[in-house]
Amino acid sequence: MILRVAKRVFLPIALAFLVYFAWESREILGDVIRSARPHNLVLAVLAWTLMHALSPLFSMLIFRARNVSMSYETAARIHIGNLPARYIPGGIWHTLGRIASFREMGIANRDISIFVFLENTLAACLAFLIGGSLVAGTRGLDGWGQTGALCAAGGAAVMLASPFILSFRIINGDKRFPITPLVTITAVTTISWCVAAIAFVVYVSAFPALALQASPLEIAGAYLFSWGVGFISLVAPQGLGVFEVVAADLIRGAGTFMSVAALLAGFRLVILAADLTVWGALQLLSITRDEATHG
């Protein structure tokens, strides 16, 4: 109850601060946006759409490891078809939508619990492991670098413990989750994070007027690490506000803190554009197939 209320209170506060940052930095942001490279923004959107090609592999591999038949096409339709739920306040509705779809297929609750556990655990652990390591490696073991190293170690520890948590707490005596598919799923998640980081780097590079001093590796590390911090901030739906503030503090160059934070919030529009692109493509494909079937 307290957490639910905190989320509802935090969301408008975070949005208000981002709007305030944008307003206070409107002149700087105006110059930065006017100098933007549109082709980089398009490339960032296209890069993010690749995430939607990888995400269905995750659920497909998990359920197949549990002897549940699921094709890539079915997994993709469930993932993409529920994308609009991401934009319902609360940050959990895309997951809940997919859970409902899995239940409609007759998939057991235990298998769905395995999916939810692995999706969230691997995403957070790998974001901290990769992002924290990059932050520590590029900044040294002081300040954010030290925090990044600790988070990377924590992510690695939880990831190593996850097979035991999975076997003895979630599966609880049932058939153990096989290691080979778990390694494959981890590899798919790692590749997905690399694609996400590339999309973010391309987005940031679209604004040369920022004159950032950070290298592409620093920017990629800042993205993954900041996403992880936002993810574990339970009161911030989808890390809104937390991600932007942490990332801005890590990579700001000549721009002010507020202008960089406000501009980084715009990366969510890249994600929205990619989500709309693949969701629209799915709807168009469905309509075309229906017409071909009934035509």
Side-chain angles (χ1 to χ4, degrees):
M1 177 64 181
I2 295 175
L3 182 59
R4 187 162 60 249
V5 172
K7 283 185 176 181
R8 289 178 179 175
V9 171
F10 184 86
L11 179 59
I13 292 175
L15 285 172
F17 268 102
L18 289 175
V19 170
Y20 170 74
F21 287 172
W23 176 255
E24 286 295 306
S25 310
R26 59 190 180 278
E27 292 183 3
I28 297 173
L29 279 175
D31 292 337
V32 168
I33 292 171
R34 280 190 291 272
S35 70
R37 298 166 175 163
H39 62 280
N40 283 49
L41 298 177
V42 173
L43 286 174
V45 172
L46 292 176
W48 194 269
T49 60
L50 293 178
M51 295 280 287
H52 298 304
L54 292 166
S55 294
L57 284 173
F58 187 90
S59 53
M60 184 190 77
L61 289 168
I62 287 176
F63 290 125
R64 284 187 177 180
R66 294 289 293 171
N67 296 318
V68 175
S69 178
M70 178 177 287
S71 67
Y72 177 84
E73 181 179 352
T74 298
R77 284 183 173 276
I78 291 173
H79 169 76
I80 297 171
N82 283 286
L83 282 177
R86 275 186 176 174
Y87 301 95
I88 300 174
I92 62 170
W93 298 105
H94 184 235
T95 298
L96 293 180
R98 287 176 295 159
I99 287 174
S101 297
F102 294 147
R103 284 177 175 165
E104 286 176 4
M105 293 178 62
I107 298 176
N109 286 336
R110 179 173 290 175
D111 295 331
I112 294 172
S113 296
I114 292 169
F115 166 78
V116 174
F117 171 78
L118 284 176
E119 182 179 58
N120 288 281
T121 302
L122 287 179
C125 288
L126 285 168
F128 276 132
L129 177 58
I130 302 170
S133 297
L134 287 173
V135 170
T138 55
R139 299 177 70 93
L141 296 178
D142 292 320
W144 278 122
Q146 185 179 55
T147 305
L150 291 172
C151 288
V158 174
M159 193 163 65
L160 290 172
S162 61
F164 301 97
I165 298 171
L166 194 61
S167 296
F168 298 108
R169 299 298 298 177
I170 298 177
I171 298 178
N172 194 22
D174 194 3
K175 179 182 176 183
R176 292 188 181 182
F177 197 89
I179 292 298
T180 301
L182 187 58
V183 172
T184 305
I185 291 161
T186 302
V188 169
T189 307
T190 302
I191 295 169
S192 295
W193 271 133
C194 290
V195 172
I198 289 170
F200 185 73
V201 171
V202 172
Y203 170 78
V204 171
S205 69
F207 305 100
L210 280 179
L212 296 179
Q213 305 300 317
S215 68
L217 275 180
E218 288 178 275
I219 296 171
Y223 169 75
L224 294 172
F225 175 75
S226 301
W227 185 93
V229 174
F231 182 81
I232 64 174
S233 301
L234 298 179
V235 297
Q238 298 185 24
L240 183 66
V242 176
F243 163 77
E244 286 81 4
V245 167
V246 175
D249 197 47
L250 282 168
I251 67 174
R252 57 178 166 165
T256 65
F257 170 77
M258 289 191 292
S259 66
V260 175
L263 194 67
L264 295 185
F267 185 64
R268 296 181 185 272
L269 296 177
V270 167
I271 297 173
L272 172 61
D275 289 354
L276 286 174
T277 298
V278 296
W279 183 82
L282 176 64
Q283 304 313 305
L284 184 61
L285 179 62
S286 298
I287 292 170
T288 303
R289 282 188 173 180
D290 288 343
E291 289 178 349
T293 301
H294 299 99

